[in-house]
Amino acid sequence: MEQTPAWRDLSGIAAKAWITIGLMHNGTNNGKIAVSSRELGKRIGVHHSVAARAILELINAGFLRQTKASSFSQKKLAAEYRLTHLRNDITGEPPSREFKVKAQPIDEVPEGYRAAAE
């Protein structure tokens, strides 16, 4: 992982966020790793807006993919993610390893992260 240009280009906060999200993977939940920017911010010791930018950086670099948007209409549900270096435990999809090919920035900011991207 650290051999890829995408890993070397990550900010320190994004790398810390990736490690933290990786620790949330229990061996069966890749694709349903639920984390909010507030929760991630508390875990890594930064403001939630900084954590939201770190999540966007990880998505743009190809280390993380959002599988479900956050929802606040019914219950406060955090967005769900998958780590791209591992098999998707929900769908059985093999690892995409999108970080190996320099990922292009996403065209659309995932729902719930619009303010952090501005």
Side-chain angles (χ1 to χ4, degrees):
M1 183 90 52
E2 64 278 348
Q3 301 300 322
T4 64
W7 179 258
R8 287 190 300 270
D9 289 347
L10 282 181
S11 68
I13 297 294
K16 192 173 181 181
W18 184 82
I19 291 167
T20 302
I21 294 168
L23 291 171
M24 297 171 78
H25 177 248
N26 65 14
T28 62
N29 67 340
N30 196 30
K32 290 192 76 65
I33 301 172
V35 63
S36 68
S37 58
R38 287 189 188 279
E39 178 186 351
L40 182 62
K42 287 177 186 173
R43 288 181 181 225
I44 64 175
V46 297
H47 191 269
H48 66 88
S49 64
V50 175
R53 283 193 298 274
I55 290 171
L56 285 174
E57 185 177 347
L58 290 169
I59 291 170
N60 283 330
F63 289 99
L64 199 63
R65 280 293 160 235
Q66 187 179 59
T67 57
K68 185 177 179 184
S70 59
S71 171
F72 294 98
S73 59
Q74 299 168 350
K75 292 182 179 178
K76 291 183 179 180
L77 297 175
E80 294 178 356
Y81 300 93
R82 71 176 174 89
L83 300 163
T84 62
H85 73 288
L86 298 172
R87 179 180 67 85
N88 186 326
D89 296 321
I90 308 312
T91 65
E93 197 179 340
S96 62
R97 294 186 177 96
E98 297 164 36
F99 54 87
K100 285 194 170 187
V101 272
K102 189 72 171 169
Q104 296 298 317
I106 54 175
D107 293 332
E108 189 174 306
V109 176
E111 196 171 313
Y113 294 100
R114 295 193 194 295
E118 295 173 349

